[in-house]
């Protein structure tokens, strides 16, 4: 019998104290990443609303309670429709979308109205920000085992920002799309899945006496969930937890969280 020796990078190798908060396993004790209550449902991160068919079969999942899971669905539908309308207008130059037929779902009609206003005067949208925060919490829980809600952890959102490619300078977008240098930062917890996305690059530098030396630098790469449709990055920077997402190679968003480390568990 040949043994399967392949290392499973998606498996969680971290602390058993954290596991019930970040790993969905049927018939086990789990806690909702959003509210800390007992969890009984599986949350795909990202949710399929932001992906294209056929869906990837191995989507990351985290535990969530039914209330939270259902509580996001209207805003998620709204956000999906909002991004579709923005994409139609700015990417495909389709202006008919605002005059064509009635929308069946009220979320879609709301999104169409909101995008109509956005085109006149670009502004932030609270329902989108709520969903971006939700996505960020999931990605952070899955990737670095942090950012989820529990009695021991408090998470404060310190920044939510988003923008779309057609309204940004080319160089601005390129910068947003770079891998993040994390050499001087806190690394994710040992056993976190994020380790599969860290690259070590040897950089050639010169010291004061002119001798050359090689310095290893660490970079955090993107997790490509579906090419051209959804990718994200999670890393620590300046003492905060950053989550960046790019949806449809068109919309960029970032969510920054401050974690209360005073009550951090000891491993
Ligand atoms: Zn919940």
């Amino acid at each position: 019998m040949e043994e399967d020796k392949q290392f499973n990078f998606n498996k969680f190798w971290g602390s058993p104290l954290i596991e019930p908060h970040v790993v969905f396993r049927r018939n086990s004790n789990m806690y909702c990443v959003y509210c800390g209550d007992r969890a009984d449902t599986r949350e795909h991160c990202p949710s399929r609303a932001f992906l294209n068919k056929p869906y990837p079969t191995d989507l990351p999942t985290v535990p969530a309670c039914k209330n939270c899971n259902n509580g996001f669905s209207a805003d998620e539908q709204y956000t999906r429709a909002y991004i579709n309308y923005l994409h139609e207008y700015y990417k495909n130059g389709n202006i008919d979308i605002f005059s064509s037929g009635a929308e069946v779902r009220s979320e879609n009609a709301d999104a169409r109205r909101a995008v109509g206003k956005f085109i006149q005067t670009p502004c932030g949208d609270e329902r989108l920000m709520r969903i971006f925060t939700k996505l960020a919490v999931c990605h952070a829980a899955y990737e670095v085992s942090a950012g989820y809600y529990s009695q021991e952890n408090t998470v404060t959102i310190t920044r939510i920002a988003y923008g779309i490619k057609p309204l940004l300078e080319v160089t601005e977008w390129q910068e947003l799309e770079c891998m993040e240098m994390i050499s001087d930062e806190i690394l994710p917890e040992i056993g976190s899945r994020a380790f599969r996305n860290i690259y070590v690059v040897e950089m050639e530098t010169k010291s004061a006496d002119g001798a050359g030396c090689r310095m290893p630098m660490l970079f955090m790469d993107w997790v490509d969930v579906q090419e051209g449709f959804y990718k994200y990055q999670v890393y620590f920077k300046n003492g905060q937890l950053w989550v960046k997402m790019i949806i449809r190679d068109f919309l960029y968003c970032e969510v920054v969280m401050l974690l209360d480390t005073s009550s951090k568990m000891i491993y």
Side-chain angles (χ1 to χ4, degrees), residues 50 79 83 125-139 160-163 230 243 245 247 251-255 257:
F50 301 107
T79 302
I83 295 172
D125 188 291
E126 274 183 22
R127 294 178 81 177
L128 261 62
M129 293 201 243
R130 181 163 180 255
I131 294 304
F132 295 153
T133 305
K134 173 222 179 219
L135 290 166
V137 166
C138 284
H139 294 322
I160 310 172
Y162 67 92
Y230 197 105
V243 182
M245 295 154 269
I247 303 175
L251 184 136
Y252 166 88
C253 54
E254 64 187 31
V255 177
M257 308 175 210

Side-chain angles (χ1 to χ4, degrees), residues 21-33:
H21 294 277
V22 299
V23 176
F24 175 85
R25 198 182 319 117
R26 227 173 272 289
N27 302 323
S28 69
N29 278 338
M30 299 179 289
Y31 302 98
C32 176
V33 291

Side-chain angles (χ1 to χ4, degrees), residues 38-210:
R38 279 295 167 95
D40 41 14
T41 63
R42 179 170 55 164
E43 180 82 330
H44 288 109
C45 38
S47 86
R48 288 174 177 164
F50 301 107
L51 300 173
N52 203 13
K53 280 182 187 165
Y55 302 121
T57 50
D58 53 351
L59 279 182
T61 56
V62 290
C65 74
K66 244 187 221 105
N67 269 348
C68 289
N69 211 334
N70 296 337
F72 285 114
S73 55
D75 283 349
E76 207 154 66
Q77 179 59 36
Y78 172 88
T79 302
R80 172 201 165 95
Y82 194 108
I83 295 172
N84 280 342
Y85 275 123
L86 278 181
H87 193 266
E88 271 305 304
Y89 180 81
Y90 284 103
K91 266 299 235 270
N92 299 336
N94 180 0
I95 52 164
D96 295 337
I97 47 164
F98 298 109
S99 52
S100 59
E103 282 282 10
V104 181
R105 296 188 65 147
S106 67
E107 291 87 10
N108 295 12
D110 291 347
R112 179 157 72 177
R113 250 191 314 275
V115 170
K117 281 188 193 153
F118 177 90
I119 287 162
Q120 310 291 325
T121 324
C123 58
D125 188 291
E126 274 183 22
R127 294 178 81 177
L128 261 62
M129 293 201 243
R130 181 163 180 255
I131 294 304
F132 295 153
T133 305
K134 173 222 179 219
L135 290 166
V137 166
C138 284
H139 294 322
Y142 185 84
E143 291 296 327
V144 298
S145 313
Y148 57 83
Y149 183 88
S150 77
Q151 282 183 336
E152 296 81 23
N153 295 320
T154 49
V155 180
T156 312
I157 305 294
T158 55
R159 175 179 166 80
I160 310 172
Y162 67 92
I164 55 172
K165 201 172 181 177
L167 299 184
L168 292 167
E169 299 287 335
V170 174
T171 49
E172 259 182 300
W173 184 266
Q174 284 167 345
E175 228 162 83
L176 296 176
E177 261 201 314
C178 281
M179 283 199 276
E180 201 63 40
M181 221 251 284
I182 54 166
S183 290
D184 304 323
E185 307 294 337
I186 309 167
L187 287 180
E189 207 64 58
I190 296 292
S192 295
R193 292 165 173 122
F195 273 93
R196 74 198 191 290
N197 307 312
I198 296 177
Y199 276 81
V200 184
V201 179
E202 292 236 308
M203 304 286 248
E204 198 85 52
T205 55
K206 273 209 166 86
S207 54
D209 59 7

